[in-house]
Amino acid sequence: QVQLVESGGGSVQVGGSLRLSCAASGDIHSRNCMGWFRQPPGKKREGVAVLNTGTGTTVYADSVKGRFTIAQGNAKDAAYLRLNSLKPEDTGMYYCAARRAFCGLYSLSAGSFDYWGQGTQVTVSS
C-alpha cells in the first residue's frame, strides 16, 4: 500500500506560480513511477507529468511543457510539481499518483496508476 498526501494548491492570477507537494509513504517498490494528474471542472482526469523515481526521467503533457516541472524528493518520499506561467485552463483539482510499473512515453493515462492522493485545488483567474 502507498499513501499520498498533496498540498500547495491555491488561487492565483494568470501568469502566477505555485508549487505542489506530494508526501509519499508505504511500499517503496510501488512508487517506481510517480505522477501528477488534473481534473478540470466538468472534464475527465488528464495526465500532466510523470517521473521515474529511479532514473529521474520525465514525461510531460504537451499543454504544460516548458511551464511545469516535476521533481522528486529523497528516497522516493515526495514528488513536487512546479507550475509557472499559469493560465485559466490550468484550473482544476490536481492529484498525485504512484504505481509499481516504470514510467514510459505513454504513462500519462490515469487508468494505469494504482495509488492516488485526495487532491489539491488550483484556481487560476484572469
Side-chain angles (χ1 to χ4, degrees), residues 1-105:
Q1 288 292 324
V2 174
Q3 294 77 43
L4 303 169
V5 180
E6 303 95 334
S7 61
S11 296
V12 297
Q13 293 190 326
V14 169
S17 297
L18 285 172
R19 183 176 184 257
L20 307 184
S21 298
C22 172
S25 60
D27 181 16
I28 195 170
H29 300 295
S30 294
R31 290 181 258 153
N32 290 320
C33 175
M34 295 187 70
W36 287 94
F37 292 77
R38 67 186 180 188
Q39 188 162 12
K43 296 185 179 181
K44 294 172 60 177
R45 194 171 298 188
E46 61 186 20
V48 174
V50 297
L51 175 146
N52 271 315
T53 55
T55 63
T57 55
T58 58
V59 179
Y60 292 92
D62 288 343
S63 59
V64 306
K65 282 181 182 177
R67 301 189 298 120
F68 291 9
T69 304
I70 188 171
Q72 63 176 317
N74 295 329
K76 303 183 183 181
D77 61 355
Y80 306 97
L81 187 69
R82 178 70 179 180
L83 296 73
N84 291 331
S85 302
L86 282 162
K87 305 175 181 180
E89 52 264 43
D90 294 319
T91 293
M93 187 69 79
Y94 281 69
Y95 298 91
C96 177
R99 71 183 198 191
R100 179 178 292 268
F102 291 96
C103 303
L105 289 176

